[in-house]
Amino acid sequence: RALVISAGVIANIIFAYAALLVQVETVGKAITEFSPGVRIPNVTEGSAARRSGLQSGDLVLTVDGWQIPADSSQVGEVVRRIRLSEGQDMKFTVQRDGPVLEVPVK
């Protein structure tokens, strides 16, 4: 009896493993890749970014000469550097629809 009961449990485990294996092989598993730079999702009216000419969709490549790496912490690091500037002028290198532009932000 124990053998018959165990066979059902073992068959379920094997079936679940096989289904998972088939799914990973056919659908694949998620791979997170980071690209250098930070994309600006939107620019607030009246902000320093708007007054300086930054636009929604711009890809910020450098902040005051610091090149933004392809890393999971890139957005947080850009925000930290902007906050540490405490109102001082900054220079952003942005890519907008192909061309790369230097944008001074005051």
Side-chain angles (χ1 to χ4, degrees):
R1 286 185 172 190
L3 185 61
V4 172
I5 293 171
S6 298
V9 172
I10 292 170
N12 283 334
I13 291 171
I14 291 171
F15 178 73
Y17 179 75
L20 182 62
L21 185 63
V22 167
Q23 183 180 15
V24 168
E25 291 298 320
T26 57
V27 176
K29 55 183 177 180
I31 297 175
T32 303
E33 292 184 18
F34 296 97
S35 300
V38 172
R39 183 139 337 254
I40 299 174
N42 57 20
V43 180
T44 307
E45 284 296 325
S47 66
R50 173 74 70 182
R51 289 190 303 273
S52 298
L54 290 174
Q55 298 176 5
S56 298
D58 284 353
L59 179 64
V60 180
L61 302 172
T62 67
V63 175
D64 281 341
W66 174 72
Q67 191 167 11
I68 301 170
D71 189 8
S72 63
S73 64
Q74 61 197 20
V75 173
E77 182 62 23
V78 169
V79 170
R80 186 184 76 78
R81 287 175 181 265
I82 292 170
R83 287 185 177 155
L84 289 176
S85 72
E86 296 180 349
Q88 297 176 4
D89 293 353
M90 301 183 79
K91 184 181 284 186
F92 287 44
T93 303
V94 300
Q95 185 174 20
R96 180 179 301 149
D97 299 327
V100 176
L101 312 165
E102 296 287 328
V103 179
V105 177
K106 299 180 181 200

